[in-house]
Amino acid sequence: MSTPVVSIAYHSGYGHTAVIAEAVRSGAVEAGAEVHLIKVDEITEEQWAILDASDAIVFGSPTYMGTASGAFHVFAEATSKRWADQAWTDKLAAGFTNSASKSGDKLHTLQYFQILAAQLGMHWVNLGLLPGWNSSAGSEHDLNRLGVFTGAAAQTNADQGPEAVHKADVATAGHLGRRVAETARVFARGRAAVAA
């Protein structure tokens, strides 16, 4: 069985989202995937080819003004050729975001990623975790402490640097990376079984 290829296409304005991208990468590597980190604001033709050859693409961006960053939107619009050719049909997709506010309308960013994936004919992989920190027995150190189901969501105070990204959010992103890699492996086995 071939190793699943997972690419993380992300933008990070101040480094916080890059911390989350690295956590997704680490989780996917732990699950046995070949992983590529691709900064969408510096993307090269070689990296577009990597995305085309990937089994799964994880989208990531900070949430600015209630949606993904402008740099991510530029990348999304550049996928229009892939949309026209349906070149990414049946690839897996997932997403993550970070903002300074506990909510910060992060859900809208993740839904934007879902719509982008749907337009490209991709299959969305959700977080697959129950919410944490939602009872008197919970704590801010729980996985999925922000209670988001669509993808990995992180919150970092606006006046702190990337080193302050919450450890529970980093761990949640690692979980997402593992889940994407494991799901990609299951899809690959299913395709192989159907082909046989």
Side-chain angles (χ1 to χ4, degrees):
M1 186 59 57
S2 63
T3 300
V5 179
V6 176
S7 288
I8 302 164
Y10 76 99
H11 174 247
S12 184
Y14 299 97
H16 306 88
T17 308
V19 171
I20 300 300
E22 175 57 32
V24 173
R25 186 202 67 78
S26 294
V29 167
E30 285 174 18
E34 173 188 329
V35 186
H36 302 275
L37 282 173
I38 297 172
K39 296 179 181 180
V40 298
D41 53 333
E42 301 173 4
I43 194 165
T44 65
E45 285 305 315
E46 291 80 11
Q47 289 172 322
W48 278 110
I50 289 170
L51 292 173
D52 292 341
S54 296
D55 299 300
I57 301 172
V58 185
F59 301 127
S61 169
T63 295
Y64 293 155
M65 304 306 290
T67 189
S69 66
F72 191 90
H73 277 267
V74 169
F75 162 77
E77 288 181 20
T79 66
S80 61
K81 181 180 185 310
R82 274 81 185 164
W83 168 79
D85 297 339
Q86 289 294 279
W88 292 358
T89 296
D90 292 334
K91 290 184 186 298
L92 300 179
F96 60 91
T97 188
N98 178 80
S99 71
S101 299
K102 293 290 189 287
S103 169
D105 292 319
K106 286 186 272 286
L107 179 59
H108 182 263
T109 300
L110 293 170
Q111 289 171 331
Y112 169 72
F113 294 157
Q114 281 184 310
I115 292 169
L116 175 64
Q119 289 178 331
L120 291 161
M122 303 170 81
H123 301 288
W124 190 259
V125 179
N126 61 51
L127 186 58
L129 283 175
L130 292 172
W133 202 22
N134 67 351
S135 72
S136 59
S139 88
E140 68 174 298
H141 304 291
D142 293 343
L143 287 178
N144 196 19
R145 71 185 182 110
L146 299 176
V148 176
F149 297 92
T150 306
Q155 180 274 329
T156 311
N157 293 331
D159 60 349
Q160 293 183 288
E163 70 286 348
V165 175
H166 201 287
K167 300 300 183 238
D169 298 340
V170 171
T172 300
H175 169 86
L176 178 66
R178 286 187 296 277
R179 182 169 169 82
V180 169
E182 290 162 0
T183 304
R185 183 172 288 105
V186 168
F187 264 60
R189 287 179 178 158
R191 287 187 180 111
V194 169

